[in-house]
Amino acid sequence: SIRCDGLETKNSSLINTMKRYYTRVCNFYYGKESELLVNKKKAIPLNGNKKLSFDHVEIISRISKKILHIKKIKSLEKSLKKQIISDLKKIRHKQKNFANLNFLKIPNIMGVLNLTPDSFSDGGKFNKENNGLKHALEMFNSGANIIDVGGESTRPGSKAINEKLEWKRIEKFIKSTKNNIPISLDTRKSEIMKKGIKFGVKIINDVSGLNYDSETISVLKKYKVPFVIQHSQGTPENMQNKPFYKNELLEIYDFFEQKINFLKSIGIRHNNILIDPGIGFGKNLKHNMNLIRNISIFHSLGLPILVGNSKKRFIKDISGKNDTKNRIGGTVASSIYLMMQGVQILRVHDVNELIQGVKVFKELINQ
């Protein structure tokens, strides 16, 4: 198992006086060990998945943290206990599958396809002739559940392009893959979304957190299509100019909670929604590491978690002289950590290599 970050504390006075607190499940078990503990009622399955469970929670506020075993929840103050039990109900609830994603199979893989000349890792590589379709088929045949296609780069420092150019870059691909490969559409623009939905796009992935285009939410409500809520501070053009948070983990949690409540209030009733903390989107190394280490806090929102960790700058910052162009080592290492925290979907470029790493890890841990 991966242990909780920190030790269980005996002083519960701080916890009892919290006005706003958050529940992070931790101390996960995987595979056969997990099934054994769940069957003995010594661990709680994540989203009904006996092969991934936990037996501790961390209660977090802006002034304190407390880690305790699930058996000690019953000894907490009444109102706090009620809230944690409510959070745990959402955390253990089996999630409904959608868009070719199976939430009892962790991780699901979202393969990245950038049909752009300027994306940070593969700009210009797949946007000519039929290279994009060929690569998408390779990723899907290697085991990707869905392919995330984009026609506008949102790398740090990039500028927005007009929707005609964005659609021109992806139109041929979107039309040629209709009903053959499950597609997620990476766009911030409502008109692109509508066109993509017309040709069978399964998920809308808007890196702006649905904030870039005022018509986006109306489109999502009208077509009832699954979508991603991603957190981003600023725009791609300026997001890495000294990003600042008082508490990135809790501020991003609050962002999701408020956005979800708003969407429900305006009539989006379905739960076919993914949440993505937006690694590298308005975050420095400290922010990214804190989010990855504590990613399991977002399970208490009751929605599947998507993380795009592939080839990101944090790998370069950590590896230093050992950085490489593809950053496959750092991507696989962080992906397996995220998988062990129950992250349901990983958005990656090197699908075959990641699935290879996951298969070997699962075989080792199941013995």
Side-chain angles (χ1 to χ4, degrees):
S1 67
I2 292 181
R3 311 303 296 178
C4 292
D5 211 7
L7 299 174
E8 185 171 331
T9 59
K10 294 181 179 179
N11 184 1
S12 63
S13 60
L14 287 175
I15 298 297
N16 290 338
T17 59
M18 284 184 197
K19 290 187 172 152
R20 178 68 171 104
Y21 61 89
Y22 306 77
T23 305
R24 182 177 79 89
V25 294
C26 58
N27 206 45
F28 283 90
Y29 300 91
Y30 201 93
K32 291 180 180 177
E33 182 184 22
S34 174
E35 286 186 284
L36 183 64
L37 290 169
V38 170
N39 289 336
K40 290 182 176 180
K41 301 190 184 312
K42 292 183 177 181
I44 297 173
L46 179 72
N47 304 134
N49 185 357
K50 286 188 175 184
K51 291 189 175 181
L52 184 58
S53 62
F54 59 91
D55 64 4
H56 279 67
V57 296
E58 181 176 34
I59 305 172
I60 305 171
S61 80
R62 283 173 166 78
I63 60 170
S64 67
K65 296 181 179 181
K66 176 182 174 64
I67 293 172
L68 69 161
H69 193 278
I70 53 174
K71 288 183 178 179
K72 295 189 177 181
I73 293 172
K74 61 185 178 182
S75 64
L76 291 171
E77 183 267 330
K78 186 177 179 180
S79 63
L80 178 60
K81 178 172 68 173
K82 182 179 179 181
Q83 183 57 55
I84 293 180
I85 291 172
S86 175
D87 286 345
L88 287 176
K89 186 176 180 180
K90 288 186 284 186
I91 292 164
R92 69 190 304 165
H93 180 71
K94 184 178 179 181
Q95 291 166 337
K96 182 182 176 183
N97 298 332
F98 59 87
N100 204 45
L101 301 172
N102 179 352
F103 300 117
L104 287 179
K105 172 188 169 291
I106 295 179
N108 290 266
I109 305 298
M110 177 181 279
V112 180
L113 179 64
N114 292 312
L115 299 182
T116 60
D118 57 343
S119 291
F120 82 94
S121 65
D122 53 4
K125 194 173 180 181
F126 303 115
N127 66 333
K128 294 180 178 68
E129 298 178 350
N130 289 320
N131 289 349
L133 180 59
K134 181 181 177 183
H135 185 56
L137 285 167
E138 286 174 354
M139 290 191 288
F140 187 64
N141 290 333
S142 292
N145 299 80
I146 194 163
I147 306 301
D148 192 42
V149 62
E152 178 185 53
S153 174
T154 50
R155 62 178 170 76
S158 63
K159 296 182 179 181
I161 62 172
N162 66 64
E163 62 189 41
K164 286 186 178 179
L165 177 56
E166 183 177 345
W167 180 247
K168 182 180 178 182
R169 289 176 176 176
I170 64 175
E171 180 180 10
K172 184 179 178 183
F173 175 83
I174 293 285
K175 290 179 177 179
S176 67
T177 56
K178 186 180 180 183
N179 301 322
N180 294 321
I181 304 174
I183 297 297
S184 165
L185 181 55
D186 180 357
T187 185
R188 299 180 288 173
K189 303 180 181 74
S190 60
E191 286 301 313
I192 303 293
M193 294 176 190
K194 284 192 280 189
K195 290 177 179 179
I197 292 166
K198 177 183 175 183
F199 289 101
V201 161
K202 304 294 185 187
I203 295 176
I204 296 297
N205 184 12
D206 178 353
V207 300
S208 78
L210 317 181
N211 291 330
Y212 181 83
D213 183 337
S214 61
E215 293 300 311
T216 292
I217 291 175
S218 297
V219 171
L220 298 176
K221 182 179 177 181
K222 178 179 178 180
Y223 293 99
K224 300 180 176 62
V225 64
F227 58 91
V228 181
I229 304 173
Q230 181 185 298
H231 178 272
S232 181
Q233 187 181 89
T235 65
E237 194 170 358
N238 62 27
M239 63 188 180
Q240 292 308 106
N241 296 340
K242 298 181 180 179
F244 174 79
Y245 304 83
K246 288 184 178 179
N247 186 318
E248 61 277 1
L249 186 67
L250 303 188
E251 287 173 39
I252 292 171
Y253 187 102
D254 289 345
F255 162 81
F256 286 133
E257 188 172 61
Q258 291 161 12
K259 184 72 74 171
I260 292 163
N261 289 339
F262 169 71
L263 293 170
K264 298 300 183 187
S265 75
I266 63 163
I268 293 180
R269 302 299 179 201
H270 67 74
N271 281 328
N272 296 348
I273 301 169
L274 308 175
I275 53 174
D276 178 354
I279 301 300
F281 281 80
K283 287 102 179 167
N284 60 27
L285 177 61
K286 171 185 168 292
H287 303 145
N288 290 324
M289 288 297 95
N290 195 30
L291 285 167
I292 291 173
R293 288 190 188 106
N294 296 284
I295 195 76
S296 60
I297 192 174
F298 300 113
H299 289 305
S300 60
L301 290 164
L303 298 173
I305 303 168
L306 164 69
V307 177
N309 57 310
S310 180
K311 302 188 180 185
K312 291 288 176 76
R313 171 74 184 246
F314 76 86
I315 298 172
K316 176 184 178 181
D317 291 340
I318 293 170
S319 59
K321 69 178 183 179
N322 300 114
D323 188 36
T324 58
K325 182 180 179 181
N326 284 329
R327 297 176 182 165
I328 293 175
T331 298
V332 172
S334 55
S335 293
I336 289 175
Y337 181 89
L338 289 162
M339 177 184 82
M340 288 292 288
Q341 299 296 307
V343 170
Q344 291 93 342
I345 312 103
L346 298 171
R347 183 182 183 273
V348 298
H349 299 81
D350 300 295
V351 170
N352 194 64
E353 288 79 1
L354 178 63
I355 291 178
Q356 179 188 97
V358 168
K359 282 182 174 180
V360 171
F361 180 82
K362 285 185 175 182
E363 182 64 22
L364 289 169
I365 205 167
N366 272 318
Q367 296 306 307

